Amino acid sequence: MDASEPANARAPLSNGDDGRDFGAPAMSAQAREDVEAAIRKLVADFYGEARKDDLLGPVFEAAVEDWDGHLAKIADFWSRALLRTQRYNGFPFPAHARLQGLRPEHFARWLELFAESAARILPPAYAEPAIARARLMARSFVAGLFPFAGEDGDPSRGRG
């Protein structure tokens, strides 16, 4: 299986005896490393663009103190999402719920930039599920963070 095939296309799950993370799709070590490298490149590219973005940049700059640590954590998140590795065990929603000044348009822009980076960098078989997962996350975050409609009809964190 090469890196352009989905990790779970035809591969049985690993039993963990071969050094791979339990539950990870069986694939060659080289194919796995190629996808891991693409994930790291995606994360670096996306955040490079997001930090320069007029809407997202100020949010990220205020929220992230350790960029190297943040990029590594997010790469682990996407590795888990796409390759079922076990390096990420967090919960992204609470971290986002604590952020001040977020609006639904932040998530729309996040999704737009992420989808552009994913389509450009990941092999298509991985870009499509990554973008689908990001789309679901953006919708879920907006629904969870803005459960009410304000007087203007726009999503709101509080009633009325």
Side-chain angles (χ1 to χ4, degrees):
M1 179 181 318
D2 69 281
S4 66
E5 292 183 56
N8 60 358
R10 289 168 275 168
L13 294 180
S14 165
N15 64 10
D17 293 339
D18 57 0
R20 288 177 288 173
D21 293 330
F22 183 77
M27 61 192 307
S28 74
Q30 185 59 56
R32 182 181 245 359
E33 183 48 42
D34 290 349
V35 175
E36 291 277 9
I39 290 169
R40 289 188 300 272
K41 185 176 179 182
L42 159 66
V43 170
D45 182 81
F46 164 74
Y47 278 100
E49 293 301 314
R51 291 175 77 179
K52 294 184 292 188
D53 187 76
D54 291 340
L55 182 62
L56 296 179
V59 174
F60 283 120
E61 291 305 322
V64 179
E65 294 178 19
D66 173 13
W67 277 101
D68 290 337
H70 185 70
L71 296 178
K73 180 187 288 189
I74 302 305
D76 286 348
F77 171 85
W78 286 107
S79 177
R80 182 177 181 126
L82 297 173
L83 297 173
R84 294 186 288 185
T85 62
Q86 300 299 307
R87 292 191 309 267
Y88 179 84
N89 293 305
F91 300 95
F93 185 82
H96 292 82
R98 289 190 293 270
L99 297 176
Q100 297 299 312
L102 284 182
R103 298 284 307 145
E105 54 267 23
H106 287 101
F107 294 97
R109 182 66 177 148
W110 173 85
L111 179 59
E112 180 181 0
L113 290 179
F114 181 85
E116 289 171 3
S117 291
R120 187 173 58 253
I121 293 168
L122 292 176
Y126 291 91
E128 292 172 18
I131 294 167
R133 175 74 178 259
R135 190 175 297 115
L136 175 63
M137 289 173 54
R139 279 197 310 257
S140 297
F141 279 28
V142 168
L145 293 172
F146 307 98
F148 304 104
E151 290 180 15
D152 57 5
D154 286 343
S156 171
R157 286 191 172 192
R159 295 184 191 268

